[in-house]
Structure formats: structure tokens, C-alpha cells
Amino acid sequence: FIGEWLANPLTSTAGVDPDVRARDYALRLENSAAGLAAALRGLGQATVPYCGDQLTDLPIPVMFIAGANDTRYAGLARTMAARRGTRAEIVRGAGHNLILEDPGAVAAAVRRLLEP
């Protein structure tokens, strides 16, 4: 399952540093089939209710960030940011595993969000 999951262009870690990729793979192997199934059933996209409209109305700083290679989430980030009157943070060269693929870009985006 993990091999097929990581072969999918959306969830692939092929562009990640080989040492980081190896550690990530080892961590994934620690998961049980039952645990993964429960996570997908309980946290999967079809399970979690859409809350996008509430996100655009929050009275606090909100950042919409996605990897450019994850075209669906990048599009959603742009749409949500436009509704809020801000810009989306789209990280070039990254996909769905944004934090794993480019943690520096994520940290920089959070710093920009929190700057006074």
C-alpha cells in the first residue's frame, strides 16, 4: 500500500532529500493497516465537512498555502485567499506533502503571516 501511495504523483516523496524520504518511509511502515483505514475513514476528504466559508470569515490572520504541484489544493488556496482579500502562498516545486517537501518555505510563509 505504501509503495503505491508514494508512487502517486500527488502523494509522492520522490523530490524529497533521500535521507528525509527514508525516515518518512520508515515512519509510515510503523502504521498499522487498521490505523490507516481508520484515519482515512475519519479524516478523509469525504468525511470532513467543508468549512471554507467559515475560514474566510475568521477575525484572525489566516494563511492559505499549498504546493504548486497539488493543483487542486493550490486552486482552493487561491480561491479562499481571494475571498478573504489576501494572496495565497503557493510553493513552487512542492506537492501535497508540503511540510515534508519544503519545510523552509512553510516556515517562511508562517513568519510573513505573523510579522507585525
Side-chain angles (χ1 to χ4, degrees):
F1 173 82
I2 293 172
E4 288 184 33
W5 181 267
L6 294 176
N8 182 317
L10 179 64
T11 53
S12 173
T13 58
V16 176
D17 175 82
D19 291 335
V20 173
R21 188 172 58 244
R23 287 193 307 271
D24 176 68
Y25 189 79
L27 283 172
R28 290 171 187 266
L29 288 177
E30 292 178 13
N31 294 315
S32 69
L36 288 172
L40 289 172
R41 277 193 303 274
L43 302 171
Q45 201 173 34
T47 303
V48 178
Y50 178 75
C51 62
D53 296 331
Q54 291 94 350
L55 290 175
T56 57
D57 294 334
L58 289 172
I60 58 172
V62 176
M63 176 178 49
F64 302 97
I65 184 169
N69 298 341
D70 184 349
T71 55
R72 175 166 182 178
Y73 278 70
L76 287 170
R78 287 184 184 101
T79 298
M80 302 294 282
R83 286 184 189 161
R84 185 154 171 116
T86 188
R87 80 178 177 84
E89 295 278 351
I90 306 299
V91 180
R92 282 187 236 161
H96 195 71
N97 278 321
L98 181 56
I99 294 172
L100 182 70
E101 294 175 59
D102 199 340
V106 174
V110 171
R111 279 193 295 277
R112 284 191 298 276
L113 174 73
L114 300 176
E115 286 176 349

